Amino acid sequence: MKFLPLCSRDSNPIEMEFAKFKALLRSKAVRTILAPQDAAGSVLDAFSRDECANFFTAAGYESE
């Protein structure tokens, strides 16, 4: 069995959230300089507390 190093992207829950965040931001298809700032605020509403906790669980972290 081969283990991933501790600094691996696969074991970092923030990478899973960034992947979803970037996909949702791209789906907004903003094309002006200030539009990404406005779109980022609305995209963040797509993340629930439970979903974020699931990202940590999937990365191997135990819940308290």
Side-chain angles (χ1 to χ4, degrees):
M1 180 180 286
K2 191 173 187 180
F3 291 98
L4 297 172
L6 293 176
C7 61
S8 170
R9 287 185 180 158
D10 294 332
S11 63
N12 188 348
I14 198 70
E15 293 294 334
M16 291 181 268
E17 293 196 37
F18 276 146
K20 178 181 176 179
F21 177 76
K22 289 188 292 185
L24 291 171
L25 198 55
R26 283 187 199 110
S27 71
K28 296 282 186 182
V30 294
R31 300 290 181 242
T32 64
I33 292 176
L34 296 178
Q37 295 173 1
D38 297 330
S42 65
V43 166
L44 290 177
D45 293 335
F47 293 89
S48 70
R49 178 184 171 110
D50 291 335
E51 182 180 19
C52 293
N54 289 339
F55 285 134
F56 281 89
T57 302
Y61 292 92
E62 293 182 23
S63 61
E64 295 184 58

